[in-house]
Amino acid sequence: MSETDVLVIGGGPAGTWAALKAAAAGATVTLADKGFCGSSGATAAAGTGIWYVEPEPELRERAMASREGLGGYLADRDWMARVLDETYELVNELAEQGRYPFPVTPEGKSLRTGVQGPEYMKRQRLRVRRAGVRILDHTPAVELLRTADGTVAGARLHRLSDGARVDVHARAVVLATGGCAFQSKTLGCDVNTGDGALMAVEAGAELSGMEFSNAYAIAPAFTSVTKTAYYSFATFYLGNGEPLEGASSKGGRSVIARTLLDEPVYCTLDLADEAQRRAMRRGQPNFFLTFDRLGIDPFTERFPITLLLEATVRGTGGVRVAGADCSTGVPGLFVAGDVATRELICGGFTGGGSHNAAWAMSSGSWAGAGAARFARRQSSASAERRRVGAGGVGLRPTGRPDAGLTHTEIVAAVQREVLPYEKNYLRHGDRLRPALAALDEIWRAARTGLDHTEADPSKVRSAAAMTAHARWMYNAALARTESRGMARREEYPDLDPAQHHRIITGGLDEVWTAPEPVFLAAGERVSA
């Protein structure tokens, strides 16, 4: 057992910024990562844009207005402005203190609207270590610890190197564990299994925007690299060589998904000119590695594509944020990055990078500083309080443990309900309801008989988290009987002004949903 002021769970951008800001506030900080902090997760595997906008009123206004309609007008202008301000400062800090090598124009202007993930995260790890943060690599969290009054006061971890249980007592905890991609093999996302959301709800937190979880990214069929923006330069084809009509238009991904149900789809990035091709190679070199090894020129030759589920990694749903410091409403618990709802700045739609990267930085900064403030307010006697595990499924079966029920089987069963395009992307109530019924049965079996005694408890808990995540997603999707943002319903293709609200979700054995009105900055309700 060890003690710390602030425990940060997750070592991606949100987690490292949280650790830096908590340490800067004078807290002792421990950071625990399921993988190796600095090289695991979605950002470390690729290049990413950043929502970095110069502090000029016209530019900021344009930046905020550009996505509001796409997101179904569910974003909050105050939060958008806060994130733009915070991101601007943090990116400049990364350049000046972190010495990140942003490219420079011939005129000497530093271009700070994107980073290369490997270099960014390598520098973040170095900065965290220099700040005096204790890093626990390959040590996933299994459950939160809480005191008798419900305050979150640490976590139980599982050290992968020797299988040891590690209890970390903390005065505050920041969850920065990422979203959930259901181990769809999207590059860098297999560690993103929704663990943080499960732990948060077990501690009493709520979720928001879980219907905005049907994000699928285009990828070459022979790799896991997703860079959907590059396909704006693509022409799509059927197997017989005929162009796939509608695939390049708005809603074209639905056309691709429907076609993939019956036959392969191919494309060529032939709409990019020479200058754009050079820029694409510089911006995302790993996108081209497999093409080069296979001797394929993606700009002139056709290659097969697929769609990979990114769910709440690219979708906007997550743990509901209750305060400006990214507190959750549960004492001692803060959230940052993809585990936290991004509706506040994106509404119901987001892409890869950009807003996601800005939210990770900003929410991480606020959560880390907020956790440090909360820790300072705790008395010295708080270290002596008795702590108990908050975890349920996979740790404390309610019935007789079933030796034949494995985490591998549960993951496969959940994937059968969430990966297929016809269930999760091309959503229809007639398909969602049977899928949700199957997921409820999986949950009940896991709740009763899933046990970690003979297996890696972190894998068992990840299987439980994926099951919970899928049930929250589909309950929220059924509650939104319209199409808004990325939450599309085939039988309700239009936006319904009467449903201009967020959907709050919670519960474990019994999942519930409730509408939450959207308000203007001054507190006046928005009329849709």
Side-chain angles (χ1 to χ4, degrees):
M1 187 270 291
S2 63
E3 294 186 5
T4 189
D5 290 333
V6 175
L7 171 63
V8 178
I9 303 175
T16 52
W17 280 108
L20 285 170
K21 296 307 176 181
T28 58
V29 183
T30 297
L31 183 151
D33 196 338
K34 179 187 283 190
F36 184 85
C37 171
S39 66
S40 69
T43 296
T48 182
I50 302 176
W51 203 33
Y52 176 88
V53 182
E54 296 287 343
E56 298 176 15
E58 288 186 8
L59 294 178
R60 291 288 176 89
E61 171 61 29
R62 195 180 310 147
M64 290 189 287
S66 65
R67 292 283 188 93
E68 286 181 304
L70 285 172
Y73 297 98
L74 296 179
D76 184 302
R77 277 292 183 105
D78 282 353
W79 276 90
M80 295 168 85
R82 289 186 69 218
V83 167
L84 285 169
D85 287 343
E86 188 76 5
T87 301
Y88 185 77
E89 295 298 328
L90 295 176
V91 170
N92 292 344
E93 178 184 315
L94 179 64
E96 294 155 16
Q97 297 182 27
R99 299 183 181 277
Y100 183 86
F102 287 102
V104 179
T105 67
E107 296 75 29
K109 179 178 175 58
S110 177
L111 300 176
R112 300 182 178 181
T113 57
V115 291
Q116 289 297 328
E119 182 66 23
Y120 172 32
M121 293 313 304
K122 180 178 74 174
R123 289 173 185 271
Q124 283 293 95
R125 179 186 175 93
L126 180 60
R127 296 181 69 205
V128 166
R129 290 185 63 187
R130 286 176 174 169
V133 174
R134 179 189 181 206
I135 299 177
L136 304 177
D137 292 310
H138 304 295
T139 310
V142 174
E143 63 179 330
L144 294 176
L145 301 175
R146 57 183 175 182
T147 60
D149 64 358
T151 299
V152 171
R156 182 156 293 145
L157 314 176
H158 175 70
R159 192 163 57 215
L160 297 178
S161 61
D162 59 6
R165 188 182 88 175
V166 179
D167 281 4
V168 177
H169 290 183
R171 290 181 166 83
V173 173
V174 177
L175 288 173
T177 52
C180 182
F182 295 96
Q183 296 187 343
S184 64
K185 302 307 175 188
T186 298
L187 185 65
C189 292
D190 267 13
V191 293
N192 299 127
T193 52
D195 307 356
L198 175 60
M199 290 188 284
V201 173
E202 288 174 333
E206 298 173 341
L207 306 159
S208 182
M210 293 303 289
E211 70 273 31
F212 305 119
S213 50
N214 56 334
Y216 284 76
I218 303 174
F222 43 78
T223 81
S224 59
V225 180
T226 59
K227 191 64 176 175
T228 300
Y230 282 8
Y231 294 93
S232 62
F233 298 98
T235 302
F236 298 91
Y237 300 92
L238 297 170
N240 61 10
E242 294 182 7
L244 178 56
E245 297 297 331
S248 299
S249 63
K250 181 180 179 181
R253 219 167 303 178
S254 296
V255 175
I256 294 170
R258 292 184 195 283
T259 306
L260 284 169
L261 293 175
D262 300 314
E263 60 179 301
V265 174
Y266 298 82
C267 86
T268 305
L269 305 179
D270 54 358
L271 302 182
D273 60 30
E274 285 300 323
Q276 290 165 333
R277 295 177 185 186
R278 289 193 295 271
M280 290 161 75
R281 281 190 171 274
R282 286 196 302 270
Q284 188 79 21
N286 67 343
F287 177 87
F288 297 95
L289 286 176
T290 305
F291 288 107
D292 293 342
R293 288 169 180 167
L294 295 175
I296 298 172
D297 181 353
F299 298 113
T300 61
E301 299 178 65
R302 294 176 193 166
F303 57 92
I305 61 168
T306 188
L307 296 176
L308 297 178
L309 178 63
E310 293 181 321
T312 55
V313 173
R314 189 179 293 241
T316 64
V319 178
R320 184 173 179 236
V321 174
D325 56 359
C326 291
S327 54
T328 62
V330 177
L333 184 63
F334 300 76
V335 286
D338 290 348
V339 72
T341 182
R342 204 161 47 246
E343 282 179 298
L344 295 167
I345 67 164
C346 298
F349 176 88
T350 186
S354 186
H355 293 62
N356 311 28
W359 177 244
M361 287 181 158
S362 300
S363 61
S365 172
W366 295 324
R373 286 192 295 271
F374 185 92
R376 279 199 303 271
R377 293 197 296 267
Q378 305 307 298
S379 68
S380 58
S382 65
E384 306 302 322
R385 291 182 296 177
R386 181 172 178 267
R387 293 162 167 82
V388 296
V393 174
L395 296 176
R396 299 171 180 89
T398 58
R400 184 175 181 178
D402 182 353
L405 184 64
T406 68
H407 62 85
T408 303
E409 291 169 334
I410 287 176
V411 169
V414 171
Q415 288 177 328
R416 286 194 291 271
E417 305 305 328
V418 297
L419 296 186
Y421 313 139
E422 67 271 24
K423 293 185 181 182
N424 195 9
Y425 190 55
L426 306 171
R427 287 177 172 175
H428 190 291
D430 290 347
R431 294 187 290 272
L432 286 172
R433 281 184 285 271
L436 180 56
L439 290 164
D440 286 342
E441 284 298 319
I442 296 167
W443 177 265
R444 280 191 283 271
R447 188 81 176 91
T448 303
L450 182 62
D451 184 44
H452 71 283
T453 305
E454 302 300 327
D456 177 345
S458 64
K459 291 182 178 179
V460 171
R461 289 288 281 165
S462 290
M466 282 187 267
T467 310
H469 225 81
R471 295 170 70 233
W472 294 321
M473 283 166 40
Y474 282 178
N475 272 281
L478 286 166
R480 190 172 287 286
T481 53
E482 63 163 352
S483 290
R484 185 184 295 266
M486 68 171 62
R488 321 297 296 178
R489 288 283 295 274
E490 290 195 322
E491 75 272 47
Y492 301 106
D494 300 319
L495 184 146
D496 177 7
Q499 297 187 51
H500 187 240
H501 53 243
R502 300 191 183 105
I503 293 178
I504 307 304
T505 309
L508 294 163
D509 295 332
E510 298 295 331
V511 175
W512 55 267
T513 63
E516 179 186 59
V518 176
F519 294 88
L520 292 171
E524 179 185 349
R525 185 176 298 187
V526 175
S527 58

